[in-house]
Each structure stands twice: as structure tokens, then as C-alpha cells.
């Protein structure tokens, strides 16, 4: 069946696998996507939503580079919100509520219409490795398939174990079997593996809920979208709702604590700290007598509803009884109970910046297998692994994004430099240059790079160049054009800013706190300029950020450039740290294990002190 050798075999068709396959194929590699169930391509295992704080920026970055997650999210969105709009632009984070079934369907359509992608449904049970190189995979039916590289994106499936109360079932996700064989082989080869856990809430029948008792959570009045391409913004949206737990609900849940795998020691591994289960919240925040629940529709045409905030692995009867005491849920019917899952992961310090493993050449890991959590984190790693697998086979330079270029750069650098012992999710606080890494400028930052490596299309590049030149022109207009006191004072008065007596450049008035683009558009010369040059929402947003935050952006850029000097001091490969006796013991051990490639990366390793860096600098200087 498989007489040809593929360039890239991608194992798993979750968020990481789909992006990896699409990227490598679109760049010209012959790709085989092997997955356990072709029915679950692009399946959202947990909440039917994409983006959110810092994650929305990642989706924009994937899109800017030429990945598909933004397009798929737009096509399957049922609600759009720009989170944190009241804060500075570095914090603005797009989020969509999605139709779970349509999301998966769109992924399958996108992959089926990508030339160079073949599909095969089977469980990969091992890798073919020759002379330290990954050369293909073996399936559970005994088929061998050859390839020049392999990308593993097994998600939560490696020796997955599902917990509901005192019941345990082998499985990678509810209703799907676990993947066996790969961990065992990799450990034999010398890889280190660990266990993590995650959990999901019950899904319920929306017809059994009383929404009149809940608070409506509508989408944005003017919904935006993720993709910089020509996808459409939503015209209609579905509402979400909000309810909350109570002391009674907590008491009912506590009745099941003795059967909770979380508390009776059956679950040993660490879960996502920032996505705790409801029992964990009750336990850890015992002073709180209520927790918010977000009631999220699963799609346009389904009555199924996702109860965000009620993730649990308590016995199903306990989940059900407690949920019936939540306001609006008095007559709730269950579709599926919540559960927790434990799975194997591989500490990511075993990877290079390209996501290729240090131990086996041409073998890449991406997604939850690297200890991350979240669709966006997974998708972005898949994209980078797919790109790099293709580039390496074609003897081209590695594609690495720096920490001041993309959240994706921060994510991968954190993973491979610091490792992670609990599921890693992205936050804006993890990025030291978040003023540079905004959702509004991901295309300006990354589309030229995506185009250069042969992934982003020319059409994307042209759109980005047009946006750049139009916003430059608009910024220049504000710098060059004066505004009369009569024109600007009503605006200044409305935002309680001191009035002006003489005409001044618009840039200066616009820079004042609380003066927004909406205000400036009230001035005829500004709105005429917008109409004359046909400036769209993206250009207006970009211009506003450039005018109002130019000082902060310049300062951060300057800091990033200064630190770049350390990024340029390379450390030779396989450097022998044991010869540097003046390094601390911890630094020597960690440097030897992680093998940082630059002084800057070495300085980010936890436990490394400034004096260790000085020792390295002195030695390398010598
Ligand atoms: C119960 C549960 C709760 C979760 N809760 C959260 C949460 O609260 N917050 C959050 O951010 N994220 C959560 N997640 C995680 C989120 O689903 C993942 O981060 C994301 O889906 C990871 O994407 P991935 O591509 O790495 O893997 P997955 O989406 O898991 O996809 C893995 C793919 O690999 C395939 N596969 C696996 N092994 C093999 C094999 N040997 N051969 C062939 N195919 C194989 C599978 O069939 C699947 O298609 C949860 C996941 C689960 C299962």
C-alpha cells in the first residue's frame, strides 16, 4: 500500500498535526497524515472556543505565517469577542466561540483540498529509526511506512487513562482508545517521559436549561475575525450565558470527594493550574461561596451545551446532582459527564528550537506531547514543526522565531529552555516584549517571514504591504495636519482633557489619554481622508496603536535590540561545561543537559545566576 517514501509523516490529526501537515504540504513536501480516527480530524477535545488572552495573539500569528487555524476558526465561529478592549493594545485578545462539528469539518475540507496530503487511518505503534534518524512509522496492524522525517503530535493519547469517580478507562479522549507503543519505544531509546493530567466539564442538553434565570453574554456589537485573509466577519451570533455555583452546589460536590480520583491519590500527575476542576476550586478557594459558570452553545444547529467552569472528575451521579442545583440547571439533562485524563508527555528540554528532538534526527514533537495545554499552543507548534521538517529535508536554514518576534517564539523558547512540569499555557505575562507582540500587527511581524520560507501566499503579502503603507500614510497625515481649537475642543472636553487655544498637529491631540480613533473620525478632514483612501478597520486600528503607543513601542524595541547582542553570542555545539569549574554546580548540570545555543538562552534557564553568565562570557570572550 505504501511503496513510496514520504517527505514527512505526521502522526495525529489534532490541532498540532493538522497545522504540521498543512504547512509541510503547502511548502512542497509529500505528506502522510496518519491518525487513529479520520472522523476526528481537527477535533476540539475540550471547550468549543479558539483564542482568548495571549492565545488569540497566537492564532493571529499562525494565520500571518500562512497556517489555517485562523481561517478555520472564522469559518466555524458562532460568536466573536475582543477581550481586554479596555486595556492597552498589547492585551487585546480575540476569541471565538465555535461550532465544534463545523470546526472539525472545515479542517478536514481544508486538508483534503491541500495538494500533497495523503491520509491513513491507523494507530502508529512505533517509529522506524535507522542510524539515529527517524525514517518512518510502524502501525498496529504491522504496516511499515517510510519517510524522511516524522512529526509526532499524539496529544492526550499516549497511554491515556480516563478517570470518572472511582472508574478508570484506558482512552485518549472519551470514546477513543489510547495510543500504546510509542512511549515505550522512545523511553528505550533514552527519552525521558512524564505524566500530566487535564479535565473537561459535562456537556448538557440546552433544551433542559432555563436561560431566563441566567445572564446573557452576547458577542461584540461589531465582531472582528482572526484571519488577515478574506474570511468574513460574523453577521449573526449566538449568545452565551452565565450562571454560578452556590454553597449548596459545593456541599453536594463535597459529598463525592471521597470518590474523587483527584483527592484519593489515584490521579498522581499535575494538571493545568489555571484551568482547575470545580472540586479543586472548592478545595483551594474554600472562602469563596460561588464560582462563575459560562454556558456555551456547541454550535449553530445543536442543542448540546458546554458548561465552562465545571470541569470535574467526580462520579457522574455527584456531577449530575450538583449541577441540578445550579441556577437555571434545575431540570438539566446530561449528554456526557465530565472526566479527567492522564497521559504521557516528553519534557520539552529534549528538543531543539526547531522542535526536532536532540536524540533522534528528523523526529519532531509538537503539541500536548511537549507538555503544553490548549489548541492554540498545539497548533502553533505543529506549524513550526511542519515548516522545519520541510526546510531540513530541503537543506534550508531552520525557521526560528525570536522572543521579540512572536508569542510562538516565546512559547518554544520557554519549553526548550525551561521545560515544564505542569501543563504549559501561554499568558501575556510570559512575553517580555508584549507591546511588540500585539494581535493587530501579527501580519506585519510575520507575513514577510512566512512568504520568504514559501508558506504565506503572495496575496497575503500584498494585503499586509497595503495595510502597512496605508497606515504609514495615515500616521503621516496625523503628523502633518493641523486641527483648529473649534474642531478639537469639543472632543477634548468630552474626555475631560484640557482645552487648547491654538491650532496644533492632530498627532498631538490624538496622543492624549482617552482620545480615540472614534473621536478623531468626528473631524471632517479625518473622515474625508479615510473615505478618500478607502481605509478599513484594520488600518484604522493599526494607525491608532502607532499614534497612541509610539513611545512605548520604541522603548520596547530598543530594549529588545540591546538584548539581541547576547542573542548573537553563540555557544559552540556540544560545549563541554565540566571544564568551567567556576560555574555553579546547578548551572553546569543544566547547561550540559539543555545545551543552550546562545548566551541569551543560557541566561533564561531557571537556576542560572548572573555570575554563571559572566563566567561563560569571559570564557567565550577568551
Ligand atoms: C479531557 C480533556 C480536557 C482538556 N482540557 C483542556 C483545557 O481545559 N484547557 C485547554 O487549553 N486544553 C484542554 N485540553 C487540551 C486540548 O484538547 C489539547 O491541548 C489540544 O487538543 C492538543 O492538541 P494536539 O494536536 O497536541 O493533540 P490532540 O488534539 O489530542 O490530537 C491528537 C491526535 O493524535 C491522534 N493520535 C494519537 N496517538 C496516535 C497514534 N499512535 N497513531 C495515530 N494517531 C494518533 C489522535 O487520534 C488525535 O487525532 C483538554 C483535552 C482533553 C482530552
Amino acid at each position: 500500500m505504501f511503496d513510496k517514501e514520504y517527505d514527512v509523516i505526521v502522526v495525529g490529526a489534532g490541532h498540532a498535526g493538522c497545522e504540521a501537515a498543512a504547512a509541510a504540504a503547502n511548502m512542497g513536501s509529500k505528506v502522510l497524515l496518519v491518525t487513529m480516527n479520520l472522523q476526528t480530524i481537527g477535533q476540539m477535545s475540550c471547550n468549543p472556543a479558539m483564542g482568548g488572552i495571549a492565545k488569540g495573539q497566537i492564532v493571529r500569528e499562525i494565520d500571518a505565517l500562512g497556517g489555517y487555524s485562523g481561517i478555520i476558526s472564522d469559518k466555524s465561529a458562532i460568536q466573536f469577542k475582543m477581550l481586554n478592549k479596555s486595556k492597552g493594545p498589547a492585551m487585546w485578545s480575540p476569541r471565538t466561540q465555535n461550532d465544534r462539528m463545523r470546526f472539525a469539518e472545515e479542517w478536514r475540507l481544508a486538508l483534503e483540498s491541500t495538494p500533497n496530503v495523503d491520509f491513513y487511518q491507523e494507530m502508529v505503534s512505533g517509529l522506524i529509526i535507522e542510524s539515529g534518524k527517524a525514517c518512518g512509522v510502524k502501525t498496529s496492524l504491522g504496516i511499515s511506512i517510510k519517510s524522511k522525517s516524522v512529526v509526532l503530535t499524539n496529544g492526550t493519547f499516549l497511554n491515556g487513562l480516563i478517570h470518572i469517580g472511582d472508574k478508570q478507562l484506558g482512552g485518549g479522549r472519551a470514546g477513543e482508545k489510547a495510543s500504546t507503543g510509542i512511549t515505550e519505544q522512545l523511553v528505550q531509546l533514552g527519552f525521558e517521559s512524564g505524566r500530566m493530567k487535564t479535565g473537561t466539564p459535562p456537556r448538557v442538553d440546552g433544551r433542559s436549561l432555563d436561560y431566563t434565570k441566567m445572564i446573557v453574554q452576547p458577542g461584540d456589537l461589531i465582531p472582528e475575525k482572526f484571519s488577515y485573509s478574506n474570511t468574513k466577519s460574523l453577521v449573526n451570533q449566538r449568545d452565551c450565558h452565565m450562571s454560578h455555583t452556590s454553597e449548596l452546589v459545593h456541599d453536594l460536590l463535597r459529598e463525592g470527594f471521597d470518590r474523587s480520583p483527584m483527592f484519593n491519590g489515584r490521579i498522581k500527575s499535575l494538571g493545568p493550574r489555571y484551568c482547575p476542576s470545580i472540586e479543586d476550586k472548592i478545595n483551594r478557594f474554600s472562602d469563596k461561596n460561588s464560582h462563575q459558570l459560562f454556558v456555551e452553545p456547541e454550535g449553530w444547529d445543536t442543542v448540546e451545551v458546554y458548561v465552562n467552569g465545571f470541569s470535574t472528575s467526580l462520579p457522574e451521579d455527584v456531577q449530575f446532582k450538583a449541577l441540578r442545583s445550579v441556577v437555571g440547571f434545575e431540570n438539566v439533562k446530561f449528554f456526557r459527564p465530565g472526566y479527567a485524563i492522564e497521559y504521557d508527555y516528553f519534557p520539552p528540554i529534549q528538543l531543539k528550537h526547531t522542535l526536532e528532538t536532540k536524540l533522534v534526527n528528523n523526529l519532531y514533537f509538537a503539541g500536548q506531547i511537549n507538555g503544553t495545554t490548549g489548541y492554540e499552543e498545539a497548533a502553533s507548534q505543529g506549524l513550526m514543526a511542519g515548516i522545519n521538517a520541510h526546510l531540513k529535508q530541503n537543506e534550508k536554514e531552520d525557521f526560528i522565531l525570536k522572543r521579540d518576534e512572536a508569542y510562538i517564539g516565546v512559547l518554544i523558547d520557554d519549553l526548550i529552555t525551561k521545560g515544564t512540569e505542569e501543563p504549559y499555557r501561554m499568558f501575556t505575562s510570559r512575553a517580555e516584549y508584549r507591546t511588540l507582540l500585539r494581535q493587530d500587527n501579527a501580519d506585519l511581524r510575520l507575513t514577510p517571514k512566512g512568504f520568504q520560507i514559501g508558506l504565506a501566499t503572495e496575496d497575503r503579502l500584498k494585503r499586509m504591504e497595503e495595510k502597512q503603507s496605508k497606515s504609514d500614510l495615515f500616521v503621516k497625515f496625523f503628523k502633518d495636519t493641523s486641527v483648529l481649537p473649534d474642531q478639537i475642543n469639543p472632543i477634548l472636553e468630552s474626555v475631560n482633557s484640557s482645552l487648547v487655544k491654538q491650532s496644533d498637529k492632530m498627532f498631538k491631540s490624538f496622543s492624549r489619554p482617552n482620545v480615540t480613533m472614534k473621536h478623531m473620525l468626528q473631524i471632517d478632514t479625518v473622515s474625508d481622508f479615510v473615505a478618500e483612501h478607502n481605509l478599513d478597520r484594520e488600518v484604522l486600528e493599526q494607525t491608532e496603536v502607532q499614534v497612541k503607543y509610539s513611545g512605548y513601542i520604541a522603548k520596547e524595541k530598543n530594549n529588545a535590540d540591546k538584548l539581541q547582542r547576547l542573542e548573537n553570542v553563540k555557544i559552540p555545539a556540544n560545549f563541554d561545561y565540566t571544564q568551567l569549574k567556576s560555574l555553579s554546580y546547578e548551572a553546569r548540570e543544566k547547561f550540559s543537559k539543555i545545551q543552550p545555543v546562545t548566551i541569551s538562552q543560557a541566561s533564561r534557564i531557571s537556576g542560572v545566576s548572573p555570575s554563571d553568565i559572566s563566567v561563560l562570557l569571559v570564557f567565550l570572550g577568551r
Side-chain angles (χ1 to χ4, degrees), residues 178-437:
S179 159
T180 49
I182 291 180
T183 307
E184 295 72 11
Q185 184 189 8
L186 289 175
V187 168
Q188 256 188 8
L189 284 167
F191 282 90
E192 202 184 303
S193 78
R195 291 288 270 175
M196 280 184 177
K197 85 123 214 197
T198 187
T200 198
R203 293 3 172 222
V204 303
D205 187 337
R207 294 168 299 186
S208 64
L209 302 182
D210 185 351
Y211 290 109
T212 60
K213 295 183 178 167
M214 305 183 203
I215 303 167
V216 185
Q217 302 275 296
D220 284 355
L221 268 181
I222 305 172
E224 298 178 28
K225 62 194 184 85
F226 277 118
S227 181
Y228 296 99
S229 71
N230 60 359
T231 54
K232 306 248 178 314
S233 302
L234 284 169
V235 179
N236 301 313
Q237 302 189 64
R238 275 202 75 174
D239 287 339
C240 295
H241 290 81
M242 197 168 87
S243 187
H244 53 85
T245 59
S246 61
E247 273 298 356
L248 171 63
V249 177
H250 297 181
D251 285 344
L252 290 168
L253 287 167
R254 278 193 198 98
E255 281 178 19
F257 277 14
D258 58 333
R259 286 187 286 153
S260 158
M262 285 271 301
F263 299 139
N264 63 16
R266 256 197 308 277
I267 293 183
K268 294 185 186 68
S269 38
L270 271 178
R273 183 199 308 230
Y274 310 98
C275 235
S277 62
I278 186 71
E279 53 266 36
D280 212 11
K281 284 191 261 191
I282 295 173
N283 208 30
R284 271 172 34 199
F285 312 108
S286 52
D287 52 323
K288 283 192 87 176
N289 51 19
S290 174
H291 294 283
Q292 286 179 335
L293 299 179
F294 295 93
V295 183
E296 303 178 341
E298 291 255 336
W300 288 115
D301 308 315
T302 174
V303 295
E304 190 164 359
V305 163
Y306 178 89
V307 191
N308 194 344
F310 206 82
S311 169
T312 179
S313 55
L314 286 167
E316 63 276 22
D317 56 313
V318 177
Q319 300 181 21
F320 183 65
K321 206 168 147 196
L323 204 51
R324 280 218 156 186
S325 295
V326 170
V327 178
F329 283 69
E330 294 80 1
N331 297 309
V332 73
K333 288 185 187 166
F334 257 27
F335 269 15
R336 316 165 199 227
Y339 65 94
I341 182 163
E342 285 186 290
Y343 54 91
D344 298 335
Y345 81 105
F346 291 87
I349 57 169
Q350 303 174 93
L351 304 174
K352 303 176 189 170
H353 269 105
T354 54
L355 298 180
E356 186 182 17
T357 68
K358 290 175 184 166
L359 218 57
V360 175
N361 287 326
N362 304 347
L363 175 63
Y364 298 77
F365 291 172
Q368 196 107 355
I369 187 173
N370 288 336
T372 59
T373 174
Y375 309 140
E376 306 77 3
E377 288 84 348
S380 63
Q381 291 171 64
L383 180 80
M384 295 299 281
I387 291 172
N388 277 303
H390 170 86
L391 291 174
K392 186 167 183 202
Q393 293 318 315
N394 291 278
E395 293 174 10
K396 297 210 175 116
E397 215 178 293
D398 298 339
F399 185 62
I400 295 165
L401 293 169
K402 297 207 267 307
R403 297 182 71 92
D404 61 340
E405 289 176 332
Y407 272 97
I408 301 175
V410 174
L411 169 75
I412 294 177
D413 186 64
D414 275 355
L415 290 176
I416 68 155
T417 307
K418 299 186 178 129
T420 185
E421 273 153 24
E422 59 179 310
Y424 178 105
R425 70 156 284 184
M426 185 47 79
F427 291 105
T428 48
S429 56
R430 297 202 194 264
E432 54 276 56
Y433 306 116
R434 54 187 168 273
T435 310
L436 304 181
L437 309 184

Side-chain angles (χ1 to χ4, degrees), residues 10-18 34-37 40-47 55 120 122-126 152-158 172-174 176-180 182 198-201 203 272 275 306 311 339-341 343 366-370 372-379 425:
V10 176
V11 180
H15 306 265
C18 288
V34 193
T35 192
M36 292 194 348
N37 184 353
T40 59
I41 286 181
Q43 178 76 25
M44 298 175 125
S45 315
C46 195
N47 57 332
K55 290 165 170 268
Y120 191 58
E122 246 253 67
M123 184 172 97
V124 167
S125 54
L152 287 185
T153 69
N154 302 71
T156 52
F157 285 70
L158 295 172
R173 212 160 32 197
E176 295 179 60
K177 64 180 179 182
S179 159
T180 49
I182 291 180
T198 187
T200 198
R203 293 3 172 222
C275 235
Y306 178 89
S311 169
Y339 65 94
I341 182 163
Y343 54 91
Q368 196 107 355
I369 187 173
N370 288 336
T372 59
T373 174
Y375 309 140
E376 306 77 3
E377 288 84 348
R425 70 156 284 184

Side-chain angles (χ1 to χ4, degrees), residues 51-58 81-95 407 425-431 433-441 445 541 545 549 556:
I53 295 164
K55 290 165 170 268
Q57 284 86 324
I58 294 181
K81 272 189 177 179
M82 184 65 81
L83 307 181
N84 278 340
K85 205 61 207 248
S86 59
K87 300 187 178 161
M91 304 303 282
W92 300 351
S93 305
R95 180 183 189 273
Y407 272 97
R425 70 156 284 184
M426 185 47 79
F427 291 105
T428 48
S429 56
R430 297 202 194 264
Y433 306 116
R434 54 187 168 273
T435 310
L436 304 181
L437 309 184
R438 305 180 313 272
Q439 61 83 32
D440 63 88
N441 70 351
R445 289 184 274 127
E541 188 177 279
V545 172
Y549 299 92
E556 204 154 272

